[in-house]
Amino acid sequence: MTGKFYATHAALIGIILAISGFITWSAVDARASLDNLVVVAPVAGVIALLAVILVAVTLLKPAPAPAEGEAGEAPSKDPGIWGDMLLLAGFGVFCYALTKVGFDLATFLFVWAGVVMSGGKGWWQPPLYAALFTAALVYGFGSLFPYPMLTLVL
Amino acid sequence: MIDQFALSQALDLLFSSFTPWLWVIPGLLIGLVFGSIPGLQISMAMAVFLPVTFSMDFLQAMLFLTSIFTGGAYGGGVTAILMNIPGSSSSIATAFDGYPMARQGKHNEALGLGLAASVVGAFVGYILLMLMIQPLAAFVLKIGPLEMVVVVLWGLTLIATLNDSSMAKGLLAGFFGLMLSQIGMSTTGVMRTSVGMPYLIDGLPVVPAMIGIFAASELLRLRGETYLVQNEAQRDISFGRILKGAGETFKYPGVLIRGSLLGAVIGAIPGVGSSVANLVSYGEAKRTSKTPERFGKGASEGVVAAESANSSSEGGSMTALLALGIPGGAATAVLLAAFSFHNIIGGPSFIRNQTDVVYSIILGNLGQVLLLAVLGLLSLRLLGLVVRVPLSYLVPSVLAMCAWGGYGITGTIAGPLTVAGFAALGWLMRRNNYPVAATVIGLLLGRMMEGELVRTMQISGGNPLRYMLERPIALVLFIIMLLVLVGAPALKALRRRRQARTEV
């Protein structure tokens, strides 16, 4: 039996190849001269080669015994993956919302939701903590920023 | 090497009154705070407090600003150890072993190791600066793009050693970082991969990328656990254990001295400095260690190598500023601004005519290093409290700070979005046992590498190998690099084979 190519691994290699391919195409398209491709061209070649090696090695490697596979060999079967992805998606939305809805509101909502998603107990502690933390960030961290910072409430 | 008369005048300038020292402790504290908050840069702190130096005399201003520099360099190491967030590119290698130590409940020891290595490194860096400012300045003047290429290549070789599970994964991660560094306008002005976004003209912002891939991705992995240190008994902040860690630093004199010397010399090279110094030092410590397999899993030598090099590079970076009037990085550029505020021009004439002031700056920095040891020890008790915060509260809070930090660096939405993008990339990489540090190194050094390579090609007329024969420093550096990378492991393998044969 051959090794399994897990979805998260396939996604990672796919992302690496897609981004590398696009950067290489863009660089060649912009100017196909030595000074412009001195790093891009050799690096693209090595990335393609390494990706092929990794895929081949993973597919040809014998599948691990179930007992061995529990410690990280089957990353996409981990039940925590969906929780991680949800928090990651929430983090992405939070980063985008910072300058759209205001640093204070976005931070308050994200920290509150994040505490609850990470296992914070009680119904009043998470929002209270989120409010205090947001105020501390806005008046502490934010005051040190050399840039204007959009806020909705504070 | 030392002008005795100028030295006595410098001592008089420093110790005849308390005035030059008045702002040193506040400066160290400002540096510690700015250095330990992700997104706040040391150079930013120095720039923010630059106007305060208007009312100071030159020596007082220099001691104040350099104390921010000194405190900030250590502060970045603290967050690298406790939260896997390198405060700046000079603390990347500190996180490699410091954070695993913290996760094992050895945060006290790791903080102590970092503090002692920083103090010794900074001390060695400034002593070297005092003894060798003129020869070092002559050396810096002889550094051209080819020499830079060799030094950056040396830093990049660390990629090959950072493999969590397989060499191919480590290399793919590193080369992907190199590829990402090619986004934006090239050294020769060619626009690549900007996808119509003005934010990408200067390439990906490295520090937000570093915060995302190191910290945010690790925080996502921590979700679901209870505390940073699982064992409750190990969660305390122990002064004794911090001191024990500090004492342990001296068990590795070779690593400490080599890291300090590498840091001072590489730090003197403008533009390369501490970002490369800590990586080269870590790489060398790993290569020469009898137990390289412990590196990346909480090896004390790793923390010592990284912290000694990044702290001693501070002394090195002052070489070009004092002797040539050239700032090697953002922090020394702010110091140069302070020079001009006080109508002082750095360079050979400054060293020749105002040797006493140069010596007082260096001696003042040595004094700061000692004060850092005391202040660092006192502040560690406070900073170390992070291990007692439940992860359900710590994870979203630090994630929010990461995004804020990204904004603090770029001043636009590009910073937080870079943090988020790299958090996702880092999460995918960690799940599949790819070393995220290799990507950061590639991203950090790729652009530097391209610029120096292009300049070398232009100067050499397209024949860099022949040009290398005309550049003795580059040739020597290249030979040393080859000896270290190929010669030393080959010798080790040969010795091991001989030993195995005699045992049979």
Side-chain angles (χ1 to χ4, degrees), chain B residues 348-433:
Chain B
S349 63
F350 177 54
I351 293 190
R352 199 170 46 244
N353 303 331
Q354 288 178 286
T355 320
D356 53 339
V357 180
V358 174
Y359 281 167
S360 10
I361 293 172
I362 297 171
L363 287 173
N365 275 286
L366 287 173
Q368 280 171 20
V369 173
L370 296 177
L371 281 171
L372 172 71
V374 180
L375 271 181
L377 271 177
L378 295 175
S379 62
L380 285 181
R381 283 189 72 83
L382 190 70
L383 294 167
L385 286 174
V386 74
V387 296
R388 292 187 178 183
V389 181
L391 283 176
S392 54
Y393 283 81
L394 190 72
V395 168
S397 311
V398 182
L399 273 174
M401 280 178 72
C402 288
W404 279 60
Y407 182 80
I409 287 158
T410 57
T412 64
I413 187 70
L417 288 181
T418 307
V419 173
F422 275 81
L425 177 67
W427 176 78
L428 269 177
M429 288 176 75
R430 284 183 198 273
R431 287 195 75 81
N432 294 289
N433 299 324

Side-chain angles (χ1 to χ4, degrees), chain A residues 20-21 23-28 31-49, chain B residues 175 178-179 181-182 192 450 453:
Chain A
S20 303
I23 295 172
T24 311
W25 168 80
S26 171
V28 173
R31 195 164 83 197
S33 59
L34 179 64
D35 60 1
N36 193 37
L37 304 176
V38 67
V39 174
V40 175
V43 168
V46 176
I47 286 178
L49 186 70
Chain B
F175 276 92
L178 276 173
M179 185 57 96
S181 74
Q182 299 301 297
R192 304 172 299 206
E450 188 199 20
L453 257 178

Side-chain angles (χ1 to χ4, degrees), chain A residues 8-9 22 24 26 34 36 43 54 75 78 80 83-85 87-88 91 95 99 107 115 129 133 141 145 147-148, chain B residues 38 175 179 188 190-193 220 223 392-393 397 399 404 407-409 411 413 416 427 431-432 434 454 457:
Chain A
T8 54
H9 197 186
F22 179 69
T24 311
S26 171
L34 179 64
N36 193 37
V43 168
L54 272 167
D78 183 349
D84 286 2
M85 283 172 71
L87 186 59
L88 189 58
F91 183 59
C95 287
T99 54
T107 305
V115 170
Y129 170 77
F133 180 76
F141 200 170
F145 279 179
Y147 312 108
Chain B
F175 276 92
M179 185 57 96
T188 47
V190 179
M191 186 58 73
R192 304 172 299 206
T193 338
L220 289 165
R223 194 191 61 86
S392 54
Y393 283 81
S397 311
L399 273 174
W404 279 60
Y407 182 80
I409 287 158
I413 187 70
W427 176 78
R431 287 195 75 81
N432 294 289
Y434 281 76
V454 168
M457 301 286 277

Side-chain angles (χ1 to χ4, degrees), chain B residues 199-217:
Chain B
Y199 302 129
L200 291 176
I201 288 176
D202 289 333
L204 286 169
V206 176
V207 179
M210 198 171 76
I211 292 174
I213 203 165
F214 264 123
S217 66

Side-chain angles (χ1 to χ4, degrees), chain B residues 38-39 56 61 66 83 92 129 148 183 232 278 313 324 343-344 364 373 380 389 399 409 423 433 447 454 484-485:
Chain B
M56 300 178 188
T66 52
M83 289 188 276
I92 291 177
L129 178 65
M148 302 263 228
I183 292 174
E232 195 179 343
N278 74 106
S313 65
L324 306 168
N343 291 323
I344 287 175
L380 285 181
V389 181
L399 273 174
I409 287 158
N433 299 324
R447 192 158 273 262
V454 168
V484 167
L485 295 180

Side-chain angles (χ1 to χ4, degrees), chain B residues 39-392:
Chain B
L40 294 183
Q41 306 269 292
I42 308 166
S43 51
M44 195 192 280
M46 289 168 76
V48 166
F49 287 94
L50 184 63
V52 178
T53 65
F54 271 139
S55 55
M56 300 178 188
D57 65 44
F58 178 65
L59 184 59
Q60 199 180 21
M62 290 310 291
L63 290 190
F64 174 56
L65 291 173
T66 52
S67 61
I68 297 178
F69 197 6
T70 308
Y74 179 64
V78 173
T79 46
I81 290 170
L82 292 175
M83 289 188 276
N84 204 25
I85 306 177
S88 67
S89 53
S90 62
S91 306
I92 291 177
T94 310
F96 294 171
D97 281 294
Y99 182 67
M101 280 184 82
R103 294 281 286 147
Q104 292 158 16
K106 294 184 193 165
H107 52 283
N108 291 299
E109 287 83 351
L111 290 169
L113 275 167
L115 181 63
S118 281
V119 168
V120 173
F123 216 82
V124 170
Y126 279 110
I127 293 276
L128 267 181
L129 178 65
M130 191 156 91
L131 293 175
M132 301 180 65
I133 188 159
Q134 274 156 341
L136 265 177
F139 167 77
V140 170
L141 273 182
K142 286 184 180 134
I143 296 286
L146 184 61
E147 287 77 12
M148 302 263 228
V149 168
V150 180
V151 174
V152 174
L153 259 179
W154 203 336
L156 277 172
T157 58
L158 184 57
I159 287 174
T161 66
L162 290 171
N163 41 325
D164 289 355
S165 55
S166 79
M167 172 81 99
K169 285 184 176 178
L171 288 175
L172 184 61
F175 276 92
F176 184 52
L178 276 173
M179 185 57 96
L180 290 174
S181 74
Q182 299 301 297
I183 292 174
M185 191 184 282
S186 78
T187 326
T188 47
V190 179
M191 186 58 73
R192 304 172 299 206
T193 338
S194 66
V195 285
M197 289 176 78
Y199 302 129
L200 291 176
I201 288 176
D202 289 333
L204 286 169
V206 176
V207 179
M210 198 171 76
I211 292 174
I213 203 165
F214 264 123
S217 66
E218 174 67 17
L219 288 164
L220 289 165
R221 206 167 61 153
L222 287 175
R223 194 191 61 86
E225 292 183 25
T226 49
Y227 285 90
L228 213 51
V229 176
Q230 295 294 325
N231 188 342
E232 195 179 343
Q234 290 179 328
R235 251 176 248 152
D236 62 323
I237 310 299
S238 155
F239 200 69
R241 282 171 63 198
I242 292 174
L243 282 178
K244 191 182 147 215
E248 202 188 329
T249 308
F250 301 97
K251 284 187 189 163
Y252 311 105
V255 177
L256 191 62
I257 297 299
R258 188 177 47 231
S260 304
L261 293 177
L262 275 172
V265 174
I266 297 176
I269 302 173
V272 176
S274 56
S275 321
V276 183
N278 74 106
L279 299 174
V280 172
S281 171
Y282 182 86
E284 289 318 307
K286 187 176 178 180
R287 274 186 206 107
T288 51
S289 170
K290 285 178 185 157
T291 51
E293 67 283 353
R294 285 176 50 241
F295 278 69
K297 293 169 190 148
S300 308
E301 301 102 293
V303 180
V304 172
E307 279 295 299
S308 58
N310 76 17
S311 298
S312 70
S313 65
E314 186 191 317
S317 69
M318 295 284 283
T319 309
L321 177 75
L322 293 173
L324 306 168
I326 304 169
T332 41
V334 181
L335 285 176
L336 192 66
F339 270 50
S340 65
F341 274 165
H342 294 86
N343 291 323
I344 287 175
I345 299 163
S349 63
F350 177 54
I351 293 190
R352 199 170 46 244
N353 303 331
Q354 288 178 286
T355 320
D356 53 339
V357 180
V358 174
Y359 281 167
S360 10
I361 293 172
I362 297 171
L363 287 173
N365 275 286
L366 287 173
Q368 280 171 20
V369 173
L370 296 177
L371 281 171
L372 172 71
V374 180
L375 271 181
L377 271 177
L378 295 175
S379 62
L380 285 181
R381 283 189 72 83
L382 190 70
L383 294 167
L385 286 174
V386 74
V387 296
R388 292 187 178 183
V389 181
L391 283 176
S392 54

